[in-house]
Amino acid sequence: MTAQVPAPPAPPALLRLLPAGSYAGRSRALLLRSATASRRAWLAFVSGFFEPVFYLVAMGQGLGSLVGVLPGPDGAPISYAAFIAPGLLAASAMNGAVFDSTFNVFFKLKYGRLYEAMLSTPLGPVDIALGEIGWALIRGGLYALGFLSVMAGFGLLVSPWALLALPAALVVAFAFAAVGMAATSYMRSWQDFDLVTLAILPMFLFSTTFYPLSVYPRWLQLVVEFLPLFHAVELMRGLTTGAVHLGMVGHLAYFLVMIVVGVTVASRRLDVLLLR
Amino acid sequence: MLLVVEHFWTWYRRNWRATAVSSVLQPLLFLLAFGVGFGSLVAGTGSAAAATGGVDYIVWLAPALLAVSTVQSAAFESTYPVLSGFKWQRTYFAMTAGPISPAQVALGHLLWVACKMAGAGAIYIGVIAVFGGVAGPGIVVSLLVAVLTGAAVAAMVTAFSATVENEGAAFNALFRFVVIPMTLFSGTFFPVDRLPGWVQPVALISPLWHGTELARSAALGAVSQPLAALGHLAYLSALLVLGVALATRLFARRLAQ
Amino acid sequence: MSGLAASVLFVADGLVQARGLRKRFGDFEAVRGVDVDVARGEVFGFLGPNGAGKSSTMRMIACVSPRSEGALQVLGMDPDVDGPRIRARIGVVPQLDNLDTELTVRQNLQIYGRYFGLSRAHVRAKATELLEFAQLTERADDPVEPLSGGMKRRLTIARALVNEPELLLLDEPTTGLDPQARHLLWERLYRLKREGVTQIITTHYMDEAEQLCDRLVVMDGGVIVAEGSPAELIERYSTREVLELRFDPALRPAPDALARLAERVEELPDRLLLYTADGEHTHAEVARAGFVPLSALVRRSSLEDVFLRLTGRTLVD
Ligand SMILES: Nc1ncnc2c1ncn2[C@@H]1O[C@H](COP(=O)(O)OP(=O)(O)OP(=O)(O)O)[C@@H](O)[C@H]1O
Ligand SMILES: [Mg+2]
């Protein structure tokens, strides 16, 4: 048997901006690794799907009985469940991506010495960053698909635009995963993860997930409009209720900026952390 | 046993931030989001008043949040920290190498969790009062009830953790399939009868539902059905006794290895 | 003239070439100007005590640690530019095992192969072959965590061979192995050498270096203090034989008292070493001079003695 190790391809133009030798174009091998590893931890994998569904059933039915109907994004009244479902979809995209790119990555960085092994193969830090983010995306995408199916089952998808909610969820997840990974590369100990909770939980609660922006005083509205999850919720709510308008491109732009900044910082930091 | 508590206190003084976030800040954020934010959305609507029996939503919600956060931190404090005592830091083995018995380690852990819950709960009550969520002195009874509920849950979870051998993947499932549904389906944010009929029996076995009902009626000063209150109390006490019995036994077994 | 010709030849066939190689960690300089040439097909050793800078040098050669200064070529390429291409053709056994604990033994080999871009079918066949090589076929589908230290080591070494490397870097390959496992591994490494795989090995064990290495360098404090084949080094820095004497601490003579009996005397905490061409003869002279050791042992000089001579310290402390 003879070796047939293919030489890694030359990096695409965009990635030449990054330090030489940090990208071999093989992030897919990391996806394969994650998929193989998660076969043993399938329960944890599957459990991620249920959390937003529990929220939808409990809050949609229970809290909905206190609210009745609410004005939707275009002013037409919608049920409380239809109001919060897109919010929960956006929040679960965020949660999944952040969890994967912070806790899991930190563990591998600090204790697993897994990346060290990968770096002695042709893989470079950029492959690792993209591979890990990619896995978070696949996972997030599957959860989003599951949740959208549940929404459809409850009759909460009323517009064909809802089909676009899946790719939108992927964009949102990508953005949060990239920024989460960049943040993780600065963390020194487990205690710093309180800060992650401190960022995620208020966003989940206050980004108009459970009630419209109009309950806030004006100054607080401005703060909320600044949060990334707010843009995700707006995007999803517009798509699932069919209230689509041009301003939604602005929300997308917000996430594209997050993606570019996150990936760049994460790759550079991994370079510093891993190649010593 | 107090020695065990002291050990935890020493550790805690260095790591207070994590618990401050999870046991005080987290319920506070929920209170703001639902009590204040959501409360203002439903203020003055008939359907909300019908559900809360006429009191403000925040007043109705606050004692329930007290019970929820107590149960959540009780569950959390009894998972990874317990596993760590057996597996990573192996502090339990170090303790039982001296004059402390396994049962004392288990009880010491539970006592410590209870103290912490009581402390965090007291701070939290002060915060609620600032936001106008306290109706009267009955809230002190709510705190006792919340600690009882938390202790019952902590005992059961501690017993479970003593059987976990792997890296704690089981805890993930415990939180996602038991703790989170429990917080959502135990009448915290809305009365249980608003749920679909097939979910309602779940509430009956949930210790948090019993705790919430008790804590809420104490806070609102309206124990309308003394018999039901006794029932809740009995259920929680039974669970606590069962959990303690299981935990001490399982600690003894694992520490004998 | 012939020396020049030889060095030109080296350049043409050198797999690794370092000139003035340095590595700094903050203010601390772990490697302070190292020159190394490794030719194709040879087994090259780094010998040195803890902290000498062996692993730091190895990591630079493995293209996982950028050099701070100096020139380095591996397989004719510059690690700073062609890291991935170089790494595609080398195999690395790090000092500490870094197996993937979320995967089984077999998956560790297969997935690692996939990092090299090898096809699924290829890595499947290769994994079976390497499991045999590492004698882990029975444990193939077990998780990695419960394996014994020696088994993990063998798996790490097997993993490094998955891409059929031209150059194999082994950082203390046999640390933590029992004697039987060590000999097995030596045999495997010898087999690879016959197949033409160039190897660079670091070790604390003299017998290992003498068994395996064609050529080696002794490192200490980040610099190379000697270089040559094991036999050359022994000849240059030691005598043919060594007489080891143990004394009752109360009756132990000062080293100077024995100096005239041997070429050189080294004092260790528990014994005195007398370097001499003929150990038995020196032993007789020691007795004649009226010294009464508790025990005396004559042995052949080893790299350990070279090391002691060069650094004034024993190698394994
Ligand atoms: N990442 C790092 N950051 C800071 N210092 C380091 C780092 N890696 C190594 N060093 C230091 O560099 C020196 C040389 O270390 P190195 O690991 O190369 O030694 P070694 O010869 O392999 O020793 P050993 O035989 O113990 O493995 C040591 O003093 C070590 O503390
Ligand atoms: Mg080393």
Side-chain angles (χ1 to χ4, degrees):
Chain A
M1 208 150 91
T2 54
Q4 25 187 276
V5 181
L14 178 69
L15 289 162
R16 295 211 189 107
L17 294 175
L18 295 164
S22 58
Y23 185 60
R26 291 231 178 87
S27 317
R28 260 176 314 158
L30 262 97
L31 299 184
L32 181 73
R33 185 225 156 245
S34 299
T36 312
S38 72
R39 264 190 287 177
R40 278 215 284 160
W42 62 270
L43 188 64
F45 189 92
V46 173
S47 69
F49 160 76
F50 286 96
E51 196 170 323
V53 175
F54 287 146
Y55 264 92
L56 182 61
V57 173
M59 299 304 197
Q61 286 267 340
L63 277 189
S65 76
L66 311 188
V67 180
V69 293
L70 278 175
D74 52 359
I78 55 175
S79 75
Y80 187 67
F83 182 83
I84 61 167
L88 292 172
L89 176 60
S92 85
M94 169 182 82
N95 279 331
V98 169
F99 185 83
D100 265 336
S101 66
T102 56
F103 293 91
N104 287 351
V105 168
F106 185 76
F107 186 79
K108 289 181 197 159
L109 265 178
K110 269 267 179 314
Y111 302 101
R113 310 189 350 108
L114 177 66
Y115 295 147
E116 184 192 292
M118 290 178 177
L119 287 175
S120 51
T121 74
L123 301 178
V126 178
D127 294 284
I128 293 179
L130 290 180
E132 290 290 11
I133 292 172
W135 177 246
L137 275 189
I138 289 179
R139 212 165 137 157
L142 288 175
Y143 292 156
L145 190 63
F147 190 74
L148 280 166
S149 317
V150 172
M151 281 175 73
F154 283 137
L156 299 174
L157 296 182
V158 291
S159 150
W161 285 105
L163 284 178
L164 286 182
L166 183 61
L170 288 181
V171 172
V172 171
F174 193 172
F176 278 104
V179 171
M181 193 151 172
T184 304
S185 68
Y186 286 97
M187 294 194 185
R188 283 150 302 145
S189 77
W190 286 112
Q191 262 134 67
D192 291 341
F193 281 97
D194 304 340
L195 302 175
V196 176
T197 316
L198 222 49
I200 293 302
L201 185 64
M203 256 202 290
F204 171 62
L205 292 173
F206 298 110
S207 298
T208 72
T209 322
F210 294 104
Y211 39 81
L213 194 61
S214 57
V215 302
Y216 297 121
R218 185 60 202 147
W219 65 270
L220 209 54
Q221 289 182 0
L222 289 174
V223 174
V224 170
E225 279 171 0
F226 182 72
L227 300 175
L229 187 60
F230 169 78
H231 294 272
V233 174
E234 285 290 294
L235 198 58
M236 298 299 171
R237 198 166 277 150
L239 289 172
T240 57
T241 58
V244 175
H245 57 96
L246 210 59
M248 285 162 74
V249 177
H251 302 313
L252 272 181
Y254 191 107
F255 293 114
L256 292 182
V257 172
M258 278 174 77
I259 289 172
V260 171
V261 172
V263 171
T264 313
V265 174
S267 307
R268 285 185 180 269
R269 283 287 303 168
L270 282 187
D271 229 274
V272 174
L273 286 179
L274 293 173
L275 299 178
R276 284 196 296 190
Chain B
M1 204 158 86
L2 285 176
L3 271 177
V4 180
V5 174
E6 190 180 315
H7 162 88
F8 290 122
W9 171 244
T10 320
W11 181 87
Y12 182 67
R13 279 203 311 232
R14 277 180 283 128
N15 296 277
W16 59 273
R17 201 176 73 190
T19 24
V21 169
S22 66
S23 53
V24 177
L25 211 60
Q26 196 160 325
L28 171 62
L29 289 171
F30 269 90
L31 183 78
L32 287 177
F34 289 99
V36 179
F38 186 81
S40 76
L41 183 70
V42 296
T45 62
S47 50
T52 62
V55 300
D56 275 352
Y57 185 67
I58 188 170
V59 175
W60 188 82
L61 180 67
L65 278 181
L66 180 64
V68 165
S69 79
T70 313
V71 163
Q72 266 180 349
S73 59
F76 187 79
E77 293 286 332
S78 304
T79 50
Y80 291 98
V82 170
L83 187 60
S84 171
F86 283 119
K87 192 177 165 110
W88 296 313
Q89 305 192 336
R90 300 180 64 85
T91 39
Y92 293 164
F93 289 93
M95 288 178 185
T96 47
I100 301 173
S101 76
Q104 283 171 326
V105 174
L107 289 174
H109 165 76
L110 291 176
L111 195 61
W112 162 242
V113 172
C115 291
K116 223 158 87 169
M117 291 184 303
I123 299 174
Y124 179 58
I125 288 174
V127 177
I128 311 175
V130 173
F131 286 96
V134 174
I139 195 86
V140 177
V141 181
S142 305
L143 177 61
L144 296 180
V145 170
V147 173
L148 172 65
T149 315
V153 171
M156 295 301 278
V157 175
T158 301
F160 171 72
S161 299
T163 67
V164 170
E165 297 283 349
N166 60 18
E167 300 295 315
F171 295 147
N172 214 329
L174 177 76
F175 279 99
R176 286 226 161 106
F177 290 119
V178 180
V179 178
I180 290 183
M182 192 158 80
T183 59
L184 289 173
F185 295 104
S186 294
T188 310
F189 299 99
F190 49 84
V192 180
D193 58 24
R194 304 302 168 96
L195 284 172
W198 51 272
V199 192
Q200 289 185 24
V202 176
L204 287 182
I205 54 166
S206 155
L208 183 56
W209 178 68
H210 296 277
T212 302
E213 290 293 304
L214 267 181
R216 185 172 279 146
S217 47
L220 301 178
V223 186
S224 48
Q225 294 160 304
L227 212 59
L230 270 182
H232 297 315
L233 213 55
Y235 182 82
L236 292 175
S237 312
L239 208 60
L240 178 62
V241 171
L242 177 67
V244 168
L246 281 175
T248 48
R249 195 152 306 173
L250 290 167
F251 264 56
R253 186 190 303 168
R254 185 147 180 187
L255 288 171
Q257 280 167 9
Chain C
M1 192 59 210
S2 69
L4 183 67
S7 75
V8 169
L9 203 80
F10 251 76
V11 173
D13 210 24
L15 276 198
V16 177
Q17 211 179 45
R19 291 289 174 271
L21 194 59
R22 285 170 186 274
K23 180 74 200 181
R24 272 186 292 273
F25 297 106
D27 290 339
F28 176 75
E29 197 166 34
V31 180
R32 313 156 176 250
V34 161
D35 294 352
V36 173
D37 290 282
V38 181
R40 187 176 289 276
E42 90 176 315
V43 177
F44 187 90
F46 281 101
L47 206 64
N50 292 133
K54 306 182 295 292
S55 297
S56 304
T57 310
M58 288 288 259
R59 285 167 39 78
M60 286 190 278
I61 296 173
C63 312
V64 292
S65 166
R67 61 182 184 265
S68 307
E69 222 175 279
L72 179 62
Q73 292 241 309
V74 182
L75 300 168
M77 291 178 275
D78 180 351
D80 281 353
V81 182
D82 284 314
R85 278 163 192 279
I86 299 173
R87 294 197 299 262
R89 289 163 57 190
I90 64 181
V92 177
V93 177
Q95 184 168 351
L96 300 171
D97 293 321
N98 53 16
L99 296 164
D100 192 332
T101 50
E102 290 177 71
L103 303 178
T104 64
V105 171
R106 187 195 301 277
Q107 286 169 345
N108 256 283
L109 296 172
Q110 292 183 344
I111 298 281
Y112 198 77
R114 302 284 284 173
Y115 297 154
F116 287 90
L118 296 166
S119 75
R120 187 185 295 266
H122 182 86
V123 293
R124 194 174 303 156
K126 192 76 199 172
T128 307
E129 179 192 322
L130 287 172
L131 284 168
E132 202 60 49
F133 173 90
Q135 299 190 323
L136 287 169
T137 308
E138 267 103 78
R139 309 294 298 264
D141 297 310
D142 289 358
V144 168
E145 201 67 58
L147 294 186
S148 78
M151 291 176 178
K152 285 185 185 156
R153 205 67 191 144
R154 295 209 298 268
L155 180 57
T156 307
I157 293 167
R159 191 183 68 173
L161 296 173
V162 79
N163 59 329
E164 295 175 16
E166 292 162 54
L167 171 65
L168 189 58
L169 303 175
L170 301 131
D171 198 347
E172 300 190 18
T174 60
T175 299
L177 297 191
D178 64 22
Q180 209 182 342
R182 273 176 84 200
H183 281 97
L184 178 75
L185 183 66
W186 288 355
E187 189 268 323
R188 297 285 139 107
L189 292 179
Y190 190 67
R191 217 159 79 187
L192 288 170
K193 175 182 157 73
R194 275 205 317 252
E195 289 167 15
V197 178
T198 312
Q199 298 171 38
I200 304 182
I201 298 177
T202 78
T203 181
H204 291 169
Y205 299 113
M206 298 301 137
D207 51 345
E208 182 158 294
E210 290 182 65
Q211 281 274 337
L212 295 176
C213 298
D214 300 319
R215 222 151 51 79
L216 51 88
V217 293
V218 179
M219 278 189 87
D220 189 31
V223 294
I224 291 177
V225 291
E227 173 171 4
S229 71
E232 276 168 18
L233 288 173
I234 292 170
E235 172 160 340
R236 205 176 319 148
Y237 296 103
S238 190
T239 52
R240 204 172 68 88
E241 292 189 338
V242 187
L243 173 63
E244 294 198 4
L245 299 176
R246 281 171 209 273
F247 286 94
D248 186 332
L251 303 174
R252 181 168 167 160
D256 290 346
L258 296 169
R260 61 177 180 85
L261 300 178
E263 283 184 34
R264 194 162 59 85
V265 179
E266 290 280 356
E267 186 178 22
L268 298 183
D270 59 335
R271 65 209 150 152
L272 293 173
L273 305 182
L274 277 63
Y275 290 90
T276 167
D278 184 344
E280 284 306 333
H281 177 73
T282 310
H283 186 195
E285 296 218 329
V286 166
R288 206 167 319 135
F291 299 109
V292 199
L294 291 177
S295 71
L297 168 78
V298 176
R299 59 168 176 81
R300 282 168 31 114
S301 228
S302 74
L303 281 175
E304 176 86 49
D305 302 296
V306 171
F307 189 80
L308 190 62
R309 169 73 189 277
L310 287 168
T311 67
R313 278 177 292 131
T314 46
L315 197 59
V316 187
D317 30 41

